[in-house]
Structures are given as C-alpha cells and as structure tokens.
Amino acid sequence: MEVLFVFCAIVALIGGVLCVVQRNAIYSLLSLLVSFAGTAGVFFCLDASFVAVSQILIYAGAIAVLFLFVLMFTDTRTVLGMGTPRVVDSRAVFNPDAKPEAGTRVKRFVLPNPLAALISLGVLAAMLFAIFKLPERFGKFGPLVEGEGLARDGIVPMVQFGSASGITLVTFQDFPLAFEVVSILIFAAVLGAVLLAKRHTAQATEPEPAVATEDE
Amino acid sequence: MLEPKIVFALAAVLFSVGLYGVLSRGNLVLLLMSLELMLNAANVALVGVARYWAGMGGAADDFSRAHSGQFFTLMVMAVAAAEVGVGLAIIVAVFRRKHTSAADLATELKH
Amino acid sequence: MDNLFKNPEVLLWLVPLLPLLGSATNGLFGKRFNIASSGAIACGAVVGAFIIALSLFISRVSQGITIQSIGYNWMVVQEAGFAVSFRLYADQLSMLMTLIITGVGSLIHIYSVGYMGHDEGFARYFSYLNLFCFAMLMLVLGDSLVTLFLGWEGVGLCSYLLIGFWFKERKNSDAGKKAFIVNRIGDFGFMLGMFLIFWHFGTLSYMDDPFVPGGLYRIVAENSHGHMDLNLINWACVCLFIGACGKSAQIPLYVWLPDAMAGPTPVSALIHAATMVTAGVYMIARLNFIWVHAEAALQLVAIVGAATALFAGTIGLVQRDIKKVLAYSTVSQLGFMFMALGLGNYPVAVFHLFTHAFFKALLFLGAGSVIHSLEHTLGHGNPDSQDLFKMGGLKKKLPVTCMVMIVGSCGLAGIPLFSGFFSKDAILYTAFELGSAMGGGINLGYIVWAMGVAAAVCTAFYSFRLIGLCFFGKWRGADAAYAHAEESPRSMTLPLAILALAAIGAGYLWMPAAWLNYAPFSDYLAPVFAAGQEHLHHNHSVFALHAEHSADSIAREWVNMIISSVVAIGVSFFAFSIYSSPKGVAREQALASGKMGAPYRLLLNKYYIDELYQILFVRPIQILSDVAFVMIDVIFIDLILVNGSAMAVATGSRIARRVQTGVVRHYLYAFAAGAAILLALFLFVR
C-alpha cells in the first residue's frame, strides 16, 4: 500500500507540474488528467475507494471533457515565447494554417514566472511549516475499524470505511441538507452556464472590434 | 511513508503547483485548469483528515462521522463541477466578445 | 382648554409667545403681506401681549400675588447639580417691565406702520421688532439668569439686525457690527458673573431650581449673615456690571449707542431708549438681593453711572444730529439710573427707567416724525433731514409734533411737574441724602450728587437747544423741504399723543415725600426689594432705604428740589432763548471758531473716544489680523492645508491608480500574496 501511495503521489505531482508548465493546452489538459488519476490512486490508498472512483468519473468523465470542448471553441495558441496571447485577431487565430514564423523555435514549456513562483513558494513554505508544527499524534494513521450499517431482516451488516455504504450512511444520516443544497447549486449552475454560453443574436451580428494589444 | 503529515505535505505541494499555475497562466481556460488542481489538492487533504479520524477509534456513532471528510470531498467535486460549468460558459461568452481567452486582456472592470 | 387659558401660569407664557408668533408669521410669510396685514399682525401680537399682561397685572400682581408659570428644567446636569429653570416668573418688577415693553412697544409698533409704510422691507422690519419684543420679554420674565441671558443675547441680536436694517449702506451695517462687538465684551463679563454666582450659590434660578429649592432668593437669604464670600460676590457683581455696561451703554462701552442711531427711528425709540438699554438696570434691580452684599461693586456702579451721565451729557451739548443728541441724552439718563442703583436706591432707578421710557420714546418718535416729514423731499437717508442746523421754525408745519416734543423735553430736562422732574429729583436727592448720611466732608454721595447736578444742567441745555433749533427760529435748510413738510399721519401722531400724556402723568405715581406722602409706585415695588433692604437694615448700612422721613431729610429734600428746579428751569430758558432766536446757530458757530474752539471741538468729536479706541484696540487687532491672515490663512490654510492636501491626494491617487490595472492576474497576485502573509502571521505571530 505504501508503495502504491508513493507511486501515485509522484504521478499526481508530475502531472500537476506538467499541467502548469505545458505550452500546449491539450497537453496541459492531458497532464491534468494524469494528475487526477494519480490523486485517485492516493484516495484509494487512504481507504476512500468510493471517492477515488468518483474522482475518476467526475473529473475524467465530465470535467475534462468539458474543458476539451471549450478548448476547441476557443483559441489557446499563444504568440511565440509568451505566456499570454498578445495579438488578437479572430481571423488569424482561426486560420488552421497559421504557423509560427519560420526560424523561430517553439518551446515546449512556458517560461517560468518568477513572481508567481515566489508567491506560491511562499505559500508552500508557510503551509509546510504549519504541517511540520502539527502535534505528535498526527504522526501515524490508526488502525481502521468497521462500523455497523443499517439493519435489514434483523441482520446488521458490517460496513467498510470509505465504501459506498459508508458514504451513503454519512450523506443521508448526517448531511442530507448539504446534499440537497448541492443538487440545487448544480442545477442553478447548469442553467447559468446555458444562459451565459447561449449566442445572443444582437452580439453575434455586431462583434466588438478587437482590443488593442497594449494596456492603455 | 503513509502517514498524515506526508499526505498533508503532498496536498500542500499540489496546492502550490496549482497556485503557481493560476498566477502564471494567461489563458483563462488554463487558469481554470490550475484552479481545479488546487481544489484537488484540497480534496487530498480532506481525504487524509478523514482517514486520520477513522483511525482514532471511538464509538460506533463516530464511524459515520469519520466519513465527513470524504463526504466533503464529494461536495467539493460537485461544486467544482458547477464552477467549471459556469466558468467555462463565462470564458465562451468572453471569447465571443473579445475573440480571445487571454485573462490579461479582459480589463473592462477597470473602467 | 378653556380653563387652561384662564390659568395665569399658562397665560403668562402667551405674553412672550405672541410676539414670537407674530415674528415667525412675518418672517416666514412676509413676502406675501402688504403693509396693512403685516403691520396688523405685528401690532396685534404686541397689543395682545399687552392686554394679557395688563389683565394679569390687574388681577394678580397689583394685589401682591406673584405668578410662577409652568415650565420645565432645561440642560439638567445631574452630577453638577445644574439645571436651567425654564419658567416665567412675574413679580412686581418683571411685571412692570413687561408692561413698559408691551405698552411702549405697542405704541411704537403702531407708529412704525406709518413710519415704515414706504419701506419695502416692512415685513422684515416687523418680524425683527416682534422678535425683539419676545427676547426682551424673555429677558425680564425668565426665572433664571440663564433665561435672562438668552433674552439678553436675543435683544442684542435684534438690535444688531435693526441697526443694520438698511444694510445696503455700509455705515449702517458697520454700526450694527459695532453694537454687536461692543456688546460681546459686556456679555463676556456677564457670563463670568453668572459663572461666579453659580460657583458660589450653586444655582442660577431666582425661585425654582430642581437641585436648590427656592433658588437664589432662598439661598442668599439663608446665607446673608456672614456665610458668604463677600469678595467673590463683589467680583461677580463687577462682572455682571461689565455686562450691564455693554448693554446699557455705560463708560467705557457706551460707544455703540450713538452709532446705533443708524437704524430706523422707531427702533431707536424702542430698543435704544425705552427698553433694551435698560436691561442692565433691570438686571441689577432684579438681583438687588445679591447686590446689597457687594457694596464695593455698588460704589463702582455709582461712580461709573455719574461719570457717564456727565460725560454723555457734555457731548450731547454740541451735537448737530437730532438723533445723536437724543442718543447721548439716553446714555446720560442711563447713567442717572446706574447712579441710583449704585447708591442703593433701586426703586428710584426703576422709577427713572419707567418715566424715561415714556419721555425718551416720545422724543425719539417726535424726532422720527420730524425726519419723516423732511425725508419726503430730501430723500431717504439724507443726513440733512437729521441736521439740527438745517432745521428751524417747524412749529408751524408740525404743530402736534412740536407740542409733544416740548412735553418730552420738559420731562427730560426735569422741569417741575413733568415726569422726569420727579424721578431725576429723587435720584439727586438720594445722592444728597447719602452724602449727608455718610458724613465727613466730601464723600461718595456728594461727589455723585455734584456730578448729577452738572449732568442735569447739560440735560436741560441740550433738551431745549434741540427744541429751539428744530421748531423755532427760521428755517435754515433747503426751501423745498420746508415747503413740503407735513404733519405725520394719524398712526404716528396718536402714539405720540398717548406717550405725551404718559410722559406727563408717569411722574405722579411717586410724589416727593416733601410734597405729599403718596408713592404707589414705591409701595408696589417694595416686595421686590424687601429681602435686600432687610439685610441692610439689619447691618445698619447707610445704603438702606427709609420709609419714614425725618424733618431734617424733608428739609434737605426741599433744598435739593429747589436747586435742581432752578437749575432746570434756568438753563432750559437760557438754552431756549438762545436757540429759538434766528441767531442761535451763528452764535454757536462763532463760539466754536473763537476762544472756546478747542473744548468745543473736543465735545463735538466726543472727546475723541472713538479715535482713541481705534488706536488702542482696533488698529492693533487689524494689524494682528493682517499678519494672521497672511501667515495662517494664505500660507498655512490655503497653501499648505487646502491646496497641499488636494495636491497630496492627487499625487497619491495618481500613483495608487496604477495599482488598478484591470488585469485579473495582478489582482490574483495581490490576493495570493496577501493570503500568504496572513498565513504567515497566523503561524509566526501568535
């Protein structure tokens, strides 16, 4: 189990780092998927089998596909050597034949952003320090116990920690309201997404002219 | 190696990587991806805490309570899904208007 | 409701509130009124107040019943034991003052309808005039020094507003400001006096105080035998007297009153002759139970009063402006009142106040009638319409005015059988009597008496100089003005006639003891002064008043009376005979350019007191202000504070504006960095 954990953790980390530094958006998304898969393994190692499965299903199945579609709709190509697209010309970017100018080498990874690195390293240092200062009892996971499930036909089944039955118990015994609220939230989000993404005819006929490159 | 502090440290590192992505990426879609990475890191920490409480022992009632962390992981996933849905819809809308998904070019709020 | 208004405790409030209501009506809606409705409202308010006051006087106060109105405690400070008793208190003295204010006030309001009818600001005028009546009534009726002070400030404000009524002319508004500023000096002293009294007695109310039952009356009466810090009371009284000097135009703060003649003439009659300027006299008479303990302060009052009477009287001798003559005579007569107060004879001071209110209002209104008739032709605000040297022979044109002016002048000059004779003579007799009681050669009483007689000489002289110059002899001004001069309308002559009757009759309310033992005025006022007199009798003080007169004192009174009558009649006749002849003016001018030129000019220029104040006080303050203006206003406030702060903000925002790039990522940086810092703070700074 420990070996699996270490392996999955390393996969998740590598995937995360690659996701962040890849220039190509599709590669980035794939790296994100790898990271999610690794995280799922980590969940599994932590006796959260149901969550691990949900992770694969929701992220890989739903969210990643959503990202993919949006990447298709929008343009993710960037001007050479820059982290952000600077030239904005809808015709040019939608031209599939548009190629980088000859003689320039397209790098695979974006250049590191020192300020962002500094801030995130600062946050990391603070968090690691906090973790390091945790009390001694956080040193080890205790042995797992099995709990009692709902009685059926007079027999009380034993339920494993992290299984679907266990999650069901906590969801409907302890947090039914949160569950319902989240369902409403998702419903609202779906409605909002549809409204936002819907093409408004007035806007479609008269697109705003492209904004100049430099900040004013 | 499988111990709470290591799990938390993993979550912290993943979080920082995601934060770096959020701060450095200029494209809104990629920015949103990095955001997902951060949420995922939080999930790792939640699951780790849930495992820690499950190992603390206790009465039968605590058994279902120990699942709270996992339950909240699921909640975070659901919220993340909703957020990605809305976020991506916004990106599409922005793209329609400005023909770009570069975060730095959407400066209308300044005015 | 019916019963409520029959209740004198409630009804008393109507006396000041009616004029306030009239003032508010004219002030708020005056633009829609014409002179008739505006005047009717104003006159109705004051006449109504007079009728109510009269009914209360007849039914209660004249029978010795004082009225304490309903009210409430204002500005209660529990810890300090301080409260202002916001009630009205009508005793014999305040009721008398109320009757004078509303009575003379009514006549002057009616007169004003005629006088101010052609002025476009009549609504504003009546609003101010009514407001003045309200403030003055609060001053006299209030049951506390604080309400007195409120009224004191209120009448000061109205005086300021009315002096500067024709504010479009710079000199008028300047005169208003001068009155206000000079009064502030006095008010400062008055406040100090109030503080000292509160410090010593713990209350400022006369009768009713939630913390000190019985108010000042009781607490002073209880402590009158040696439990008081007499030093402190003397100082408190001196401070109060400074306030009285400001309001009642005594040396050294009299300078505002002659300038105050810039206001409309009825205002001069009401405010600057009959009522407001007597506020200081009223205040001292009101607080007589405290003043009897402050003999040093009283002597100061006597000296200042006598000096003012003489000083102002001499200035009045040579003034050419008809109103200025009357103004200086007012200052002089106020000096007589303070003289009486300082000598401890409070009822006589009030008596002189009473008679003076009539004959001086009469004189002012008569002068107003003269000015009014000349202004028709000469134009409003023309100084010639007030110049005695450019009048003469108006008797034929203005017969009624002439008659009443002669009556008023006889009163002022102290011609026997006119009211001024009785009151002024009583004052001089008081001084004479005190001089003999003190003994030991030249003493305060004799000094004051001598100054008083000299002032009476001046009074008689300028009174009949005025009459002679104005109504007799030959016309010396522009011919057109004389040709078109007409007697004033009925609304003006009727008040004059009533006042003339009052000016004759008022004196008979207190006959000299040498003639007849008939003094209803004195008997009526006696309860007000009873407590203080009791203390004085207890200590066998020379300042105590004596009801019964010995044969010696009767003899002294005869002597005094004969001296003053002879002086008054003789000097009056002398002055009249000079100035009623056509050569009067020429003679005076010859005197001015001749040997007597220097003292004449000294008097004409009012002893150069204004110039002296200008050099002593105004100049230094102006220079200081100029320096302060440049240093503080221009450089410090304008440049550094105002522009500097604006520039600092502008520069700061120009820099700060760059933070707001509108780029989401920059905000994210800030957000994340802030989160990191907060986290670090939580971890390390615990």
Side-chain angles (χ1 to χ4, degrees):
Chain A
M1 202 57 113
E2 291 213 341
V3 180
L4 181 62
F5 171 76
V6 172
F7 173 71
C8 290
I10 291 171
V11 168
L13 273 177
I14 290 175
V17 170
L18 281 178
C19 167
V20 167
V21 297
Q22 283 278 3
R23 177 177 303 279
N24 192 310
I26 304 292
Y27 291 166
S28 202
L29 181 58
L30 287 177
S31 312
L32 184 67
L33 268 176
V34 170
S35 177
F36 285 161
T39 317
V42 169
F43 290 165
F44 186 73
C45 295
L46 290 170
D47 297 295
S49 43
F50 182 79
V51 178
V53 173
S54 310
Q55 166 93 354
I56 299 286
L57 283 177
I58 295 174
Y59 276 109
I63 294 182
V65 173
L66 206 57
F67 270 113
L68 205 57
F69 268 101
V70 174
L71 283 180
M72 193 184 80
F73 282 137
T74 66
D75 165 58
T76 56
R77 272 175 296 185
T78 56
V79 173
L80 307 174
M82 306 291 286
T84 50
R86 285 284 168 172
V87 173
V88 183
D89 184 339
S90 56
R91 298 289 157 254
V93 292
F94 274 112
N95 181 2
D97 299 330
K99 287 261 165 58
E101 283 174 43
T104 50
R105 225 171 65 107
V106 181
K107 292 198 185 100
R108 217 190 142 125
F109 303 111
V110 293
L111 291 174
N113 182 330
L115 185 58
L118 184 71
I119 291 173
S120 49
L121 280 177
V123 173
L124 178 65
M127 287 193 297
L128 285 180
F129 180 79
I131 291 164
F132 177 73
K133 294 275 274 186
L134 280 175
E136 198 50 45
R137 55 195 164 87
F138 284 94
K140 245 165 77 187
F141 288 124
L144 271 183
V145 288
E146 290 194 338
E148 292 176 346
L150 293 172
R152 181 188 289 168
D153 301 335
I155 304 162
V156 179
M158 301 307 283
V159 175
Q160 213 190 349
F161 179 74
S163 65
S165 325
I167 296 289
T168 311
L169 276 177
V170 73
T171 303
F172 293 106
Q173 274 187 348
D174 293 333
F175 302 113
L177 186 65
F179 180 76
E180 296 300 335
V181 168
V182 162
S183 70
I184 292 171
L185 173 74
I186 291 179
F187 178 62
V190 168
L191 281 183
V194 169
L195 265 178
L196 277 169
K198 217 174 85 178
R199 182 179 287 270
H200 297 285
T201 45
Q203 278 182 7
T205 51
E206 227 179 310
E208 193 183 281
V211 181
T213 53
E214 278 303 313
D215 196 4
E216 42 197 84
Chain B
M1 280 301 274
L2 191 51
E3 53 184 70
K5 285 189 180 180
I6 296 290
V7 175
F8 297 154
L10 172 66
V13 173
L14 272 175
F15 184 86
S16 307
V17 170
L19 181 61
Y20 172 76
V22 168
L23 294 181
S24 66
R25 286 294 192 170
N27 188 300
L28 283 170
V29 183
L30 296 173
L31 198 148
L32 211 54
M33 282 186 202
S34 307
L35 210 59
E36 290 304 312
L37 209 55
M38 287 169 78
L39 285 167
N40 215 45
N43 281 350
V44 171
L46 275 171
V47 170
V49 170
R51 176 64 187 83
Y52 171 75
W53 282 113
M56 288 296 281
D61 279 359
D62 294 339
F63 179 71
S64 71
R65 295 277 157 76
H67 282 94
S68 300
Q70 296 190 359
F71 173 75
F72 274 103
T73 308
L74 291 172
M75 291 292 117
V76 171
M77 283 181 193
V79 172
E83 174 235 318
V84 165
V86 177
L88 288 176
I90 291 172
I91 290 170
V92 169
V94 168
F95 186 79
R96 285 233 184 87
R97 248 183 115 72
K98 304 181 73 75
H99 302 289
T100 179
S101 54
D104 293 0
L105 293 180
T107 58
E108 270 83 358
L109 279 181
K110 180 182 175 184
H111 305 296
Chain C
M1 200 69 186
D2 212 32
N3 286 329
L4 194 65
F5 280 107
K6 281 178 185 159
N7 184 350
E9 294 168 11
V10 180
L11 211 54
L12 189 57
W13 268 110
L14 278 183
V15 175
L17 286 185
L18 271 180
L20 181 65
L21 199 68
S23 167
T25 315
N26 261 326
L28 293 176
F29 312 111
K31 280 192 176 163
R32 293 162 202 213
F33 295 155
N34 57 17
I35 176 73
S37 50
S38 192
I41 289 166
C43 296
V46 183
V47 172
F50 176 66
I51 291 168
I52 294 169
L54 197 63
S55 71
L56 289 175
F57 170 76
I58 292 168
S59 68
R60 303 267 158 165
V61 181
S62 63
Q63 292 162 22
I65 308 166
T66 61
I67 307 171
Q68 261 184 293
S69 83
I70 53 167
Y72 68 102
N73 296 317
W74 181 42
M75 300 201 295
V76 180
V77 183
Q78 206 79 39
E79 293 75 19
F82 176 79
V84 177
S85 157
F86 210 83
R87 289 172 178 77
L88 302 184
Y89 173 59
D91 69 346
Q92 288 82 359
L93 177 62
S94 52
M95 206 62 202
L96 176 76
M97 289 298 288
T98 304
L99 288 175
I100 295 174
I101 294 159
T102 52
V104 177
S106 300
L107 294 174
I108 290 173
H109 272 74
I110 293 165
Y111 177 93
S112 295
V113 176
Y115 191 83
M116 297 297 287
H118 309 293
D119 198 283
E120 57 193 25
F122 55 83
R124 186 163 59 93
Y125 171 83
F126 280 122
S127 175
Y128 292 164
L129 213 57
N130 267 356
L131 187 65
F132 167 79
C133 286
F134 162 72
M136 191 69 204
L137 288 167
M138 283 309 289
L139 192 159
V140 297
L141 283 173
D143 180 30
S144 148
L145 273 178
V146 179
T147 40
L148 186 145
F149 189 64
L150 267 183
W152 190 276
E153 292 297 303
V155 293
L157 169 73
C158 296
S159 161
Y160 162 76
L161 290 171
L162 284 165
I163 293 169
F165 183 75
W166 290 307
F167 54 84
K168 283 176 186 161
E169 264 183 68
R170 171 95 196 198
K171 100 180 149 45
N172 295 346
S173 61
D174 278 352
K177 277 184 272 181
K178 185 173 179 181
F180 208 73
I181 292 165
V182 172
N183 266 304
R184 294 241 59 81
I185 300 169
D187 294 344
F188 182 67
F190 190 88
M191 283 203 281
L192 283 183
M194 282 207 305
F195 298 156
L196 286 176
I197 284 184
F198 179 74
W199 190 28
H200 196 266
F201 295 115
T203 176
L204 287 174
S205 310
Y206 311 139
M207 297 297 283
D208 203 21
D209 190 291
F211 300 104
V212 183
L216 281 173
Y217 271 117
R218 191 185 62 87
I219 206 133
V220 175
E222 280 180 4
N223 294 316
S224 60
H225 301 298
H227 298 297
M228 281 192 281
D229 184 352
L230 290 180
N231 227 343
L232 188 125
I233 290 177
N234 266 313
W235 279 113
C237 287
V238 167
C239 289
L240 288 176
F241 179 58
I242 293 171
C245 277
K247 193 62 71 188
S248 297
Q250 296 300 294
I251 291 176
L253 299 179
Y254 72 92
V255 287
W256 65 271
L257 186 59
D259 285 21
M261 296 304 128
T265 308
V267 169
S268 309
L270 178 62
I271 299 186
H272 306 120
T275 55
M276 183 188 86
V277 289
T278 61
V281 181
Y282 168 77
M283 186 268 294
I284 293 178
R286 171 89 283 165
L287 297 178
N288 69 82
F289 56 97
I290 295 175
W291 278 85
V292 292
H293 298 282
E295 290 190 0
L298 275 178
Q299 290 176 17
L300 176 73
V301 172
I303 299 280
V304 170
T308 310
L310 183 57
F311 188 78
T314 52
I315 298 177
L317 292 176
V318 296
Q319 294 302 309
R320 285 177 61 167
D321 186 325
I322 184 168
K323 284 180 77 181
K324 284 274 162 72
V325 175
L326 293 174
Y328 280 105
S329 97
T330 304
V331 177
S332 176
Q333 297 306 308
L334 289 166
F336 271 102
M337 294 177 211
F338 278 100
M339 207 154 98
L341 290 171
L343 300 174
N345 202 341
Y346 309 100
V348 157
V350 177
F351 187 50
H352 194 54
L353 188 164
F354 178 66
T355 56
H356 174 255
F358 294 120
F359 64 70
K360 188 52 66 64
L362 173 64
L363 282 170
F364 263 116
L365 294 185
S369 175
V370 171
I371 295 166
H372 190 68
S373 68
L374 297 182
E375 267 181 354
H376 265 314
T377 324
L378 292 174
H380 174 76
N382 189 334
D384 280 2
S385 65
Q386 303 186 10
D387 191 345
L388 284 171
F389 282 12
K390 296 191 174 158
M391 295 181 191
L394 284 171
K395 185 181 72 161
K396 288 181 210 109
K397 289 284 185 179
L398 308 170
V400 180
T401 308
C402 175
M403 278 304 297
V404 298
M405 284 288 273
I406 289 172
V407 169
S409 286
C410 288
L412 178 61
I415 304 292
L417 305 181
F418 289 90
S419 63
F421 165 76
F422 296 100
S423 55
K424 196 187 288 176
D425 196 53
I427 292 173
L428 291 175
Y429 168 58
T430 302
F432 196 73
E433 188 71 21
L434 191 71
S436 72
M438 283 170 134
I442 296 168
N443 57 30
L444 177 76
Y446 286 133
I447 293 170
V448 169
W449 180 79
M451 289 166 90
V453 170
V457 169
C458 297
T459 309
F461 187 85
Y462 62 64
S463 304
F464 280 89
R465 173 174 174 265
L466 188 152
I467 295 293
L469 282 176
C470 184
F471 294 105
F472 295 90
K474 260 186 16 212
W475 174 255
R476 297 176 292 273
D479 291 337
Y482 186 76
H484 292 98
E486 281 176 2
E487 184 58 276
S488 301
R490 188 71 56 83
S491 70
M492 285 163 72
T493 50
L494 187 69
L496 285 175
I498 298 173
L499 277 174
L501 289 180
I504 298 170
Y508 292 91
L509 290 174
W510 191 348
M511 306 287 276
W515 290 10
L516 195 64
N517 202 3
Y518 177 72
F521 192 88
S522 155
D523 297 342
Y524 165 74
L525 280 178
V528 178
F529 307 105
Q533 293 304 322
E534 195 183 321
H535 168 80
L536 290 177
H537 282 292
H538 182 85
N539 287 2
H540 303 293
S541 167
V542 287
F543 290 104
L545 299 173
H546 299 279
E548 64 284 344
H549 301 271
S550 64
D552 279 356
S553 69
I554 297 286
R556 278 194 293 273
E557 186 161 13
W558 272 114
V559 170
N560 181 61
M561 198 183 297
I562 289 165
I563 292 174
S564 63
S565 326
V566 166
V567 161
I569 295 172
V571 174
S572 299
F573 187 76
F574 173 67
F576 183 75
S577 63
I578 292 176
Y579 288 102
S580 62
S581 75
K583 286 184 231 153
V585 175
R587 272 200 206 174
E588 186 172 324
Q589 274 159 348
L591 190 73
S593 54
K595 280 204 298 272
M596 296 295 283
Y600 185 85
R601 276 195 300 278
L602 185 68
L603 293 182
L604 193 65
N605 290 303
K606 309 148 199 166
Y607 293 101
Y608 297 99
I609 291 290
D610 276 335
E611 286 76 7
L612 185 70
Y613 283 2
Q614 187 80 13
I615 293 165
L616 279 184
F617 304 111
V618 180
R619 271 283 138 220
I621 288 173
Q622 268 178 349
I623 293 167
L624 196 68
S625 312
D626 284 347
V627 172
F629 172 69
V630 173
M631 294 297 290
I632 297 175
D633 227 60
V634 173
I635 294 181
F636 185 67
I637 293 180
D638 280 0
L639 202 69
I640 296 178
L641 284 188
V642 176
N643 290 347
S645 62
M647 272 191 293
V649 171
T651 315
S653 25
R654 212 174 295 129
I655 295 165
R657 204 165 54 196
R658 308 208 165 203
V659 173
Q660 198 205 8
T661 55
V663 179
V664 180
R665 232 149 32 110
H666 296 165
Y667 301 154
L668 268 176
Y669 285 139
F671 167 65
I677 290 166
L678 271 184
L679 195 58
L681 279 179
F682 269 119
L683 291 171
F684 298 113
V685 188
R686 183 106 59 145

